[in-house]
Amino acid sequence: MCRLFGLSSAPVRTRATFWLLEAPDSLSRQSHRDPDGTGLGYFDAQGVPHVHKAPIAAYQDRCFAQEAEHVESTTFLAHVRYASTGSLEDRNTHPFLQEGRLFAHNGVIEGLDELDAELGEDRELVAGDTDSERFFALITRETRAHGGDVAAGIEHAARWIARHLPVYALNLILATRDELWALRYPDTHELYVLDRDAGGRHGDRHLDHSGTGGRMRVHSQDLADTPAVVIASERMDENPRWRLMEPGELLHVGPRLGITARVILRDPPVHRLTLDDLRPEAAASQKAV
């Protein structure tokens, strides 16, 4: 399944190194299906968002994802994609950028014609074919309608989709220059948060996270001296402070790493999908690798 990773050290800019697809190191790992895309989003010193991403078809060149990306930012958003909707093209690869915000999603939403109709003129925000980018466009519209309140935008968009469309999962991370938001809904996939002290569990160590399933690795020497909040699809080290988010929980990491969280969706989707309901390629994209 897709892997999500978000990190904030705001207001401090930190340097981090991302390997979005580490080289397979065994025949067993080589037998797993290759990811369909990788992407990294961050913000420069002027607050301008940047996205480095590329689709990676099976058995094709992995150089982009295996080469280390060295970047500096207050917030970071990374994604490893297993495609459920949309062809293997750059425009369908996460993260997506709309109105200065970065977004990545793990899950499946169906009924896209109905979602397009709901978006109306805001369908123009969508450059690709994915359910994820359409979901982001609905969040962008609702955020605008609520005076720039991103939490309200996420809540209203997610509630509309949960009421009207077939849903497998809506897990997401959304980033601005100095804030992160994350939603886990429903309980289909896991999403974890780590409130990490400077130096981590032992107080004197840099950050070196390596995901077992998504092949993603993140390293930051700066975080030996700086606290951070990390959100990820899986626990990425042995720190006992990783917390599994509640189903329906919307989490916000503020400009100075203050964390607030509340459950915004207590009921399951009206049209909840199972793996058996999905098209074969969509079902394959949602299984653990």
Side-chain angles (χ1 to χ4, degrees):
M1 67 179 182
C2 300
R3 259 61 182 198
L4 299 170
F5 180 92
L7 186 151
S8 176
S9 59
V12 178
R13 291 181 61 79
T14 52
R15 291 163 295 179
T17 304
F18 289 79
W19 293 264
L20 298 182
L21 178 58
E22 292 192 280
D25 56 8
S26 70
L27 288 176
S28 174
R29 293 190 68 177
Q30 289 179 41
S31 69
H32 292 158
R33 189 170 63 88
D34 286 354
D36 298 315
T38 63
L40 171 65
Y42 62 96
F43 294 81
D44 66 22
Q46 287 71 47
V48 177
H50 295 265
V51 177
H52 294 174
K53 60 184 180 179
I56 303 173
Y59 309 113
Q60 291 185 357
D61 183 18
R62 297 186 177 103
C63 288
F64 170 84
Q66 289 181 347
E67 290 178 353
E69 292 282 338
H70 308 281
V71 293
E72 182 178 84
S73 185
T74 47
T75 59
F76 303 88
L77 177 55
H79 185 269
V80 175
R81 181 191 185 213
Y82 291 84
S84 59
T85 304
S87 56
L88 305 188
E89 298 180 56
D90 184 88
R91 65 196 181 108
N92 290 327
T93 305
H94 307 227
F96 301 105
L97 171 63
Q98 294 179 11
E99 298 187 358
R101 305 180 190 99
L102 299 170
F103 174 89
H105 163 238
N106 177 21
V108 177
I109 305 166
E110 295 188 349
L112 298 187
D113 288 346
E114 187 174 350
L115 180 50
D116 285 342
E118 174 64 18
L119 284 170
E121 293 181 357
D122 290 296
R123 178 64 173 81
E124 295 179 357
L125 292 165
V126 181
D129 310 312
T130 66
D131 53 347
S132 302
E133 194 179 14
R134 288 172 166 92
F135 181 20
F136 187 21
L138 189 60
I139 292 171
T140 298
R141 187 192 75 182
E142 292 300 315
T143 298
R144 194 189 310 128
H146 290 82
D149 185 334
V150 175
I154 294 173
E155 180 172 353
H156 281 80
R159 283 184 179 277
W160 187 90
I161 289 174
R163 287 196 305 265
H164 294 94
L165 302 181
V167 171
Y168 187 72
L170 297 181
N171 284 17
L172 68 86
I173 301 176
L174 190 154
T176 63
R177 176 181 184 173
D178 54 6
E179 297 178 83
L180 290 177
W181 289 262
L183 174 67
R184 180 187 179 213
Y185 181 75
D187 59 354
T188 311
H189 294 315
E190 297 175 340
L191 194 61
Y192 293 90
V193 58
L194 172 64
D195 188 359
R196 186 183 190 273
D197 294 330
R201 178 183 181 185
H202 301 284
D204 60 353
R205 296 188 181 176
H206 56 263
L207 180 142
D208 195 353
H209 282 178
S210 184
T212 57
R215 310 182 196 173
M216 185 190 299
R217 182 183 172 201
V218 186
H219 177 91
S220 176
Q221 189 68 38
D222 288 354
L223 293 185
D225 304 309
T226 303
V229 177
V230 183
I231 303 166
S233 297
E234 55 193 335
R235 294 182 180 92
M236 297 184 71
D237 68 5
E238 78 288 352
N239 194 315
R241 293 176 62 180
W242 283 101
R243 177 180 72 83
L244 177 64
M245 291 175 59
E246 296 293 326
E249 179 182 339
L250 176 63
L251 181 138
H252 174 234
V253 184
R256 295 188 175 275
L257 302 186
I259 299 174
T260 58
R262 61 190 178 94
V263 175
I264 63 168
L265 292 163
R266 297 192 176 276
D267 298 321
V270 172
H271 308 287
R272 182 167 184 172
L273 298 170
T274 68
L275 281 177
D276 290 339
D277 297 321
L278 301 178
R279 292 170 288 107
E281 61 272 23
S285 76
Q286 299 303 304
K287 295 177 182 178
V289 176

